[in-house]
């Protein structure tokens, strides 16, 4: 074998054997082999340091403590992602409750005002006034607009207007 072929075979063997450095004993023995390979001229100093670094890294990354630490980190990452999903679901639920409460408050306000309006219009029940009041209820478009209610009441006569005014005074 020529020196170049020998160097190539030794470099290939070192690349494969560096993966076997899983502890301090293996790393120490590998460093002795590296020193011998460098002193015999099969590898240069730069490659010797490169393989030495690879052996140290492999020993760290295959150490039981490091492997356990990485498993714990992966487990924690999975748990955090689960917690994030739960927080998002809770946030969506809170927003839905908030929107439901807003809707409920609007409905209660409309029902309350509608009740007040009906009380205003139906203050005096009987005969023509009752008929006019019932007819005016179907004509009112906006129960929140007292001017509109007065305008509709005026269409059904003075008695209906009097009822609305009496109801406004009570409300």
């Amino acid at each position: 074998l020529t020196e170049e072929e020998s160097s190539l075979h030794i470099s290939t063997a070192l690349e494969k054997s560096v993966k076997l450095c899983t502890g301090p004993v293996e790393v120490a023995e590998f460093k002795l082999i590296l020193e011998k390979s460098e002193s015999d001229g099969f590898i240069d100093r730069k490659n010797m340091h490169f393989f030495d670094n690879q052996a140290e890294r492999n020993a760290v990354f295959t150490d039981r403590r490091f492997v356990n630490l990485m498993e714990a980190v992966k487990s924690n990452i999975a748990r955090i992602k689960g917690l994030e999903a739960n927080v998002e679901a809770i946030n969506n639920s809170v927003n839905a409750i908030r929107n439901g409460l807003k809707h409920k408050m609007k409905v209660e306000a409309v029902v309350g005002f509608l009740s007040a309006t009906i009380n205003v219009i139906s203050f005096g029940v009987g005969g023509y006034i009752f008929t006019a009041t019932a007819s005016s209820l179907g004509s009112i478009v906006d129960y929140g607009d007292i001017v509109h209610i007065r305008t509709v009441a005026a269409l059904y006569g003075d008695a209906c207007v009097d009822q609305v005014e009496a109801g406004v005074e009570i409300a």
Side-chain angles (χ1 to χ4, degrees), residues 78-94:
R79 291 174 63 200
I80 288 170
K81 286 181 180 180
L83 287 173
E84 287 173 346
N86 288 340
V87 166
E88 187 174 336
I90 290 169
N91 188 36
N92 292 339
S93 296
V94 167

Side-chain angles (χ1 to χ4, degrees), residues 92-109:
N92 292 339
S93 296
V94 167
N95 286 337
I97 291 170
R98 181 183 306 128
N99 291 337
L101 287 174
K102 284 180 183 178
H103 178 73
K104 180 182 180 246
M105 289 172 24
K106 285 179 183 178
V107 168
E108 286 177 349

Side-chain angles (χ1 to χ4, degrees), residues 112-154 156-171:
F113 194 78
L114 184 58
S115 296
T117 304
I118 290 172
N119 286 338
V120 164
I121 292 175
S122 65
F123 183 71
V125 175
Y128 169 75
I129 296 174
F130 179 73
T131 306
T133 302
S135 298
S136 67
L137 279 176
S139 302
I140 296 174
V141 176
D142 184 4
Y143 284 95
D145 186 3
I146 201 71
V147 175
H148 173 67
I149 294 172
R150 285 180 175 146
T151 305
V152 171
Y156 291 96
D158 291 336
C160 195
V161 171
D162 292 341
Q163 276 185 307
V164 169
E165 294 303 325
V168 167
E169 289 177 19
I170 292 173

Side-chain angles (χ1 to χ4, degrees), residues 33-45 48:
I33 294 170
L34 286 176
E35 288 175 7
K36 177 67 172 151
S37 298
E38 195 255 336
S39 70
D40 289 347
F42 292 116
I43 59 171
D44 59 9
R45 190 148 184 83
M48 184 184 88

